[in-house]
Amino acid sequence: MARLLKKVPGLSEHERILFARSLSATPDERWAMHQAHLRSLGLLTRSQRKAFGFNSPE
């Protein structure tokens, strides 16, 4: 993983850590990280996203 990340140009140390974490995570862990990110932005529910201005997929 370290060799792969060293070849990616233009990433800050913080971005390299996030990239490594996402590459090493299982699908369930990635989904949990995604849900936690949406929750931290207040966009977890469909109604919250709609109020923020996102269009519904319908």
Side-chain angles (χ1 to χ4, degrees):
M1 182 89 52
R3 286 183 299 178
L4 174 68
L5 292 177
K6 286 183 181 183
K7 294 180 182 179
V8 179
L11 290 180
S12 69
E13 187 63 26
H14 179 71
E15 291 169 327
R16 287 182 201 281
I17 292 168
L18 289 176
F19 191 35
R21 193 172 78 177
S22 67
L23 286 175
S24 62
T26 65
D28 288 337
E29 290 169 336
R30 285 193 302 273
W31 180 253
M33 286 188 280
H34 175 70
Q35 292 293 312
H37 180 68
L38 288 177
R39 190 176 296 111
S40 73
L41 296 174
L43 300 173
L44 186 61
T45 64
R46 184 174 170 210
S47 61
Q48 289 172 325
R49 289 189 297 271
K50 189 173 181 181
F52 191 74
F54 288 102
N55 292 331
S56 63
E58 300 173 320

